[in-house]
Amino acid sequence: MASSGKKTRGKQKIEIKIIKNEDDRLISFSKRRTGIYKKISKLSTICGGEILFIIFLPAGKPYSFGYPSVESVAKRFLNPNQPFNKTTDAPVEAYYK
């Protein structure tokens, strides 16, 4: 049977530009924030690295994500001679079990 045409537009490429409406910008940020947190978590699990992600909204409110924690990664960043935390492989080991 032949299809009578597309019912949806599918995945569309959007132009990257600032969203002028502040409410729409905040909604878009909150939706994309969860997506980036998932990607960062997956990267940390796959690579076994320590990750710190901080973003500040124009209003000045900070959002952060850190693995294994924001504090431990920030301390390690400020003191690079600190030994690598061996507990970061725990999620990978749990996945294999």
Side-chain angles (χ1 to χ4, degrees), residues 27-88:
I27 290 167
S28 180
F29 170 75
S30 64
K31 288 179 180 179
R32 291 176 181 263
R33 182 186 66 216
T34 56
I36 193 79
Y37 284 0
K38 288 178 186 177
K39 287 183 186 291
I40 292 169
S41 178
K42 189 174 184 179
L43 177 67
S44 174
T45 301
I46 291 171
C47 298
E50 296 180 39
I51 296 179
L52 177 59
F53 174 78
I54 303 172
I55 186 168
F56 288 89
L57 291 182
K61 186 173 182 181
Y63 288 87
S64 62
F65 177 87
Y67 183 84
S69 73
V70 172
E71 292 81 14
S72 67
V73 180
K75 285 179 187 175
R76 181 164 162 80
F77 180 77
L78 295 173
N79 183 11
N81 298 328
Q82 182 179 357
F84 184 70
N85 187 353
K86 297 294 182 187
T87 62
T88 58

Side-chain angles (χ1 to χ4, degrees), residues 84-97:
F84 184 70
N85 187 353
K86 297 294 182 187
T87 62
T88 58
D89 290 333
V92 177
E93 292 169 8
Y95 173 78
Y96 286 128
K97 289 180 183 177

